[in-house]
């Protein structure tokens, strides 16, 4: 199938989802916890995921789907198309700030990643693209970010990395110009894609990093599971996305 056919539909669904999410700010959210008190799900996470899944089933009846809140097909089950969905990424920010959250979709064809989408809901900016397509913010093509060294830029991180000093994170943080924590993997990936930060490291599920990985690699950034395992199995792991130069330094510190 031509990627443009899939692309046109996904963009339409995502901007429609954005309208539904913005409209929900005027309603009372139904909020529940999942794995811990900081891991939230709302009626909107479930509604948007169902909205995406219903459209996928209708347009691509044979596609397999992995969604954060419901369906959990595996990549190896897919004959042709495989969709990875995070309806609302940064649910805590969605609830507490109504800002700094994203909606994300990644598409695999014949087991290969082909398209990634991260929609910054508040700013109405869709970061999208894929292999041999390039990466765009809405209609503008993004340039590859500068290959900054760890010393010369800001590093995004998930809080447990710092609290538990995972993988010598405190030493990594001291080497960087500073550490930033935005609370949404999607927003963090956008910051790395646009060169606002030189990297991001956090323990993530497949739906948190699938879209960002496709876009980051297309821009020459390096995406790695920090324990050295294969990242393409789409399981939960500590993921590092960064400039090539910062990746080398961070691995040096981890393996010292
Ligand atoms: P989510 O909002 O889609 O759950 C926040 O630190 C970032 O990490 C968010 O992108 C969040 O995605 C993700 N995350 C992954 N696992 C998480 C967990 N167990 N609890 C809270 N956030 C988690
Ligand atoms: Ca989510």
């Amino acid at each position: 199938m031509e990627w443009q056919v899939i692309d046109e539909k996904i963009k339409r669904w995502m901007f429609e989802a954005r309208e539904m999410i913005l409209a929900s700010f005027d309603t009372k959210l139904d909020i529940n916890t999942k794995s811990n008190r900081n891991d939230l799900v709302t009626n909107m996470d479930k509604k948007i995921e169902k909205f995406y899944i219903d459209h996928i089933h209708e347009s691509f009846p044979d596609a397999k789907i992995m969604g954060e809140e419901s369906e959990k097909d595996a990549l190896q089950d897919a004959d042709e198309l495989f969709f990875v969905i995070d309806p609302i990424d940064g649910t805590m920010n969605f609830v507490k700030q109504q800002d700094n959250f994203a909606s994300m979709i990644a598409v695999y064809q014949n087991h290969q990643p082909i398209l990634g989408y991260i929609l910054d809901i508040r700013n109405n900016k869709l970061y999208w693209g894929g292999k041999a397509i390039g990466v765009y913010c809405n209609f503008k093509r993004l340039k590859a970010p500068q290959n900054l060294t760890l010393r010369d830029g800001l590093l995004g991180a998930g809080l447990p990395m710092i609290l538990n000093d995972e993988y010598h994170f405190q030493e990594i943080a001291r080497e960087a110009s500073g550490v930033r924590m935005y609370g949404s993997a999607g927003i963090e990936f956008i910051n790395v894609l646009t060169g606002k930060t030189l990297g991001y490291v956090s323990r993530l599920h497949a739906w948190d990093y699938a879209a960002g990985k496709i876009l980051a690699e297309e821009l020459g950034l390096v995406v790695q599971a920090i324990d050295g395992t294969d990242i393409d199995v789409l399981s939960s792991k500590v993921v590092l996305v960064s400039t090539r130069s910062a990746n080398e330094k961070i691995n040096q510190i981890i393996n010292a």
Side-chain angles (χ1 to χ4, degrees), residues 24-89:
S24 78
F25 290 153
D26 299 326
T27 66
K28 190 175 176 327
L29 290 175
D30 176 16
I31 304 166
N32 288 292
T33 57
K34 295 197 287 185
S35 60
N36 62 65
R37 61 180 279 268
N38 303 321
D39 189 8
L40 303 183
V41 61
T42 73
N43 55 308
M44 286 309 291
D45 298 68
K46 292 176 187 160
K47 182 174 170 179
I48 300 299
E49 179 154 314
K50 183 170 185 319
F51 170 80
Y52 287 149
I53 289 176
D54 287 349
H55 278 294
I56 293 168
H57 280 155
E58 195 184 325
S59 295
F60 310 107
D62 298 327
K64 295 283 189 277
I65 301 169
M66 178 193 278
E68 174 171 14
E69 316 298 349
S70 58
E71 301 200 16
K72 295 278 190 296
D73 290 337
L75 178 60
Q76 53 269 32
D77 299 336
D79 288 332
E80 204 210 345
L81 288 177
F82 182 69
F83 290 78
V84 184
I85 299 171
D86 189 345
I88 296 181
D89 171 68

Side-chain angles (χ1 to χ4, degrees), residues 34-36 38-40 68 86 88-92 158-159 183-186 200 202-205 207-208:
K34 295 197 287 185
S35 60
N36 62 65
N38 303 321
D39 189 8
L40 303 183
E68 174 171 14
D86 189 345
I88 296 181
D89 171 68
T91 302
M92 185 62 86
L159 182 61
S184 154
Y200 169 56
S202 187
R203 186 172 294 280
L204 299 174
H205 295 288
W207 44 84
D208 297 313

